[in-house]
Amino acid sequence: MVGRFEGVTFILSDFEITVEKLVYGGDALGRLDGRAVLAPFVLPGERVRLRGLSEKPGLLRAGLLQVLAAAPERVAPPCPYFMRCGGCHYQHAPYQMQLEFKRAILEDQLRRIGKFAAPMEIAVVSGEPWGYRNRVQLHVAHGRLGYREAQSRKLCPIEQCPIGSPAINAAIAIFRGMLGDPRWPRFVRAIELFTNETEMQLNVLETEHPVARRFFDWCAERIPGLVSGALEYQAAGHAWRVSGGSFFQVNRFLIDNLVACALDGAEGQTALDIYAGVGLFSLPLAQRFAAVTAVESGARAAADLRFNAERAGLQLRVEQTDADGWIEQLQTAPDFVLLDPPRAGMGKRMVERLAQLRPPRLAIVSCDPATLARDLAGLTGAGYRIDRLTLVDLFPQTYHLETVAHLAL
């Protein structure tokens, strides 16, 4: 069967290939008659039967039908929803192998997008590969709770999540029991749970009507430690107030390691934290530098940052504004700049302004190797050198990875 829509051909035909390598995004790469083939849930060296799903010039996307010759490293995924749920991609690979894949993928993104080779061995920081998530987003449909299926808006109902923390899984079990109660608002479509393992923050992310206060009161009766409003989180030597909608790192085991890695070697009199969030890097910077400025566009996160700094007795300047606009008016380069941008990366405007200011040392904390490669290419082209690269695996079992890049003039 063949169909066409907006330049994409949709096909349903079966074929066999040998898998070459994993690529960024969760798929593996193979080739068929000179065309690149992308397919999920397979390993390098495996012979697999696939079903073609869609095709663009030179690229065929396919789904897995059967592993004909398995790699010797392949393991049985512990999650019953793996390959259906869209959350995890690598549960069929041993964890050490996942780390090797991710380092190779990072190197490949630097080479293909940044047009440069990693100038040194990429260090890897890892932790417990299961039960690490302190935050999950859950969808609700037809009286069931779960995640989205891969490449779909269809619900994958779950009873538990092996990468979720114990408190997250306890709350999932309670919510599943609440769904059949008449008090459950049928118009709620998505919720978020965030926990410090003692307390739980509940955020309604998607709803067709406003949710009454009595719903949260009812949840507080059922969920141990449910808080109204902000959650208090202990990490990296500080207490953090994190309001609903404020960003905070999701891997409860590696937050301290991430901060230590990002600030390793940071010294001088003045420092700048761009995309600062609630201050995860700002507060430790204020313990090292005489003058620290933190730039954060989100109102709630900026308010949390101010509160967290004041409670810690640390002096720093908080600018609640757009990062690109703020750095344009900056006249003097600080001694050290830390940047923790969103998935879209820093972008051309930020890179160009940093190249003009020329702060002597930069640290970039990136959650997307493709945009990191692009940004590093711009900075190295402006005279910066990469001192070291560290892969911090904040997202085991998934293709996502965090990279800390240290640069100097």
Side-chain angles (χ1 to χ4, degrees):
M1 182 181 296
V2 179
R4 184 176 295 275
F5 179 73
E6 294 184 351
V8 179
T9 301
F10 295 90
I11 59 177
L12 288 175
S13 59
D14 302 349
F15 56 91
E16 297 179 14
I17 65 166
T18 299
V19 179
E20 296 178 11
K21 64 178 182 178
L22 296 194
V23 296
Y24 186 60
D27 287 329
L29 173 70
R31 298 194 182 276
L32 178 70
D33 300 329
R35 294 170 295 174
V37 179
L38 294 179
F41 312 126
V42 296
L43 296 176
E46 293 187 328
R47 187 70 181 173
V48 295
R49 178 176 292 278
L50 305 176
R51 172 158 295 176
L53 300 177
S54 65
E55 183 175 13
K56 291 183 178 180
L59 176 63
L60 176 63
R61 291 192 175 274
L64 175 64
L65 292 177
Q66 183 182 4
V67 177
L68 302 172
E73 300 88 354
R74 176 177 279 270
V75 297
C79 179
Y81 315 110
F82 183 63
M83 295 179 63
R84 182 182 173 195
C85 167
C88 289
H89 316 91
Y90 293 162
Q91 288 191 21
H92 57 306
Y95 185 50
Q96 191 59 43
M97 193 177 192
Q98 295 181 31
L99 297 175
E100 295 168 2
F101 289 153
K102 290 186 178 184
R103 178 154 51 189
I105 287 169
L106 175 56
E107 291 173 342
D108 180 68
Q109 293 288 289
L110 296 177
R111 184 168 50 251
R112 289 196 313 106
I113 297 175
K115 307 301 181 185
F116 65 90
M120 72 291 290
E121 177 77 8
I122 299 174
V124 176
V125 175
S126 61
E128 171 57 47
W130 302 102
Y132 64 86
R133 286 197 71 100
N134 59 28
R135 188 190 298 263
V136 297
Q137 295 181 5
L138 299 162
H139 298 271
V140 184
H142 310 297
R144 297 181 297 175
L145 185 76
Y147 298 129
R148 297 290 193 200
E149 291 189 2
Q151 306 298 319
S152 171
R153 291 188 60 81
K154 185 178 179 182
L155 185 74
C156 173
I158 66 167
E159 295 183 7
Q160 51 81 38
C161 175
I163 64 172
S165 75
I168 290 289
N169 278 297
I172 288 173
I174 294 171
F175 275 118
R176 289 182 65 248
M178 296 170 65
L179 287 171
D181 193 292
R183 288 172 287 183
W184 183 272
R186 305 301 171 198
F187 45 80
V188 168
R189 295 290 175 258
I191 61 174
E192 178 185 69
L193 303 177
F194 176 47
T195 183
N196 59 17
E197 291 306 292
T198 300
E199 298 172 316
M200 182 74 64
Q201 182 185 84
L202 167 64
N203 300 307
V204 175
L205 299 182
E206 185 179 339
T207 180
E208 296 172 2
H209 305 284
V211 179
R213 179 73 252 171
R214 61 179 177 273
F215 169 70
F216 294 96
D217 293 339
W218 176 46
C219 291
E221 295 173 3
R222 301 295 306 276
I223 308 293
L226 192 74
V227 298
S228 176
L231 183 81
E232 295 290 326
Y233 204 103
Q234 298 283 336
H238 294 282
W240 310 95
R241 187 184 80 178
V242 184
S243 297
S246 292
F247 172 78
F248 201 76
Q249 295 292 344
V250 303
N251 189 314
R252 65 194 183 105
F253 299 125
L254 289 180
I255 296 173
D256 291 22
N257 303 67
L258 178 65
V259 173
C261 180
L263 300 190
D264 183 33
E267 59 184 19
Q269 292 297 307
T270 57
L272 175 60
D273 182 8
I274 303 181
Y275 320 102
V278 302
L280 182 61
F281 301 108
S282 307
L283 271 61
L285 283 171
Q287 293 175 307
R288 298 184 179 212
F289 291 81
V292 174
T293 299
V295 181
E296 168 56 42
S297 62
R300 287 187 179 180
D304 287 340
L305 198 164
R306 291 189 181 96
F307 177 89
N308 293 330
E310 290 172 4
R311 180 169 57 181
L314 295 171
Q315 297 295 317
L316 58 87
R317 176 183 172 190
V318 178
E319 295 284 351
Q320 193 226 312
T321 187
D322 171 71
D324 285 345
W326 186 85
I327 202 168
E328 287 288 351
Q329 55 79 43
L330 185 64
Q331 298 300 312
T332 304
D335 299 320
F336 178 80
V337 179
L338 184 137
L339 305 105
D340 184 12
R343 195 167 301 279
M346 294 155 50
K348 183 177 180 182
R349 186 177 175 188
M350 178 65 70
V351 168
E352 289 180 347
R353 186 58 182 146
L354 288 171
Q356 293 168 355
L357 288 168
R358 299 183 69 76
R361 299 196 70 84
L362 305 174
I364 304 170
V365 180
S366 170
C367 60
D368 187 295
T371 57
L372 174 66
R374 178 203 65 200
D375 294 340
L376 287 178
L379 290 167
T380 55
Y384 280 93
R385 71 174 187 276
I386 301 173
D387 272 355
R388 59 190 182 279
L389 291 168
T390 305
L391 190 163
V392 184
D393 192 32
L394 297 184
F395 314 100
Q397 317 308 326
T398 82
Y399 73 81
H400 300 289
L401 59 94
E402 198 90 356
T403 307
V404 178
H406 286 269
L407 295 88
L409 287 172

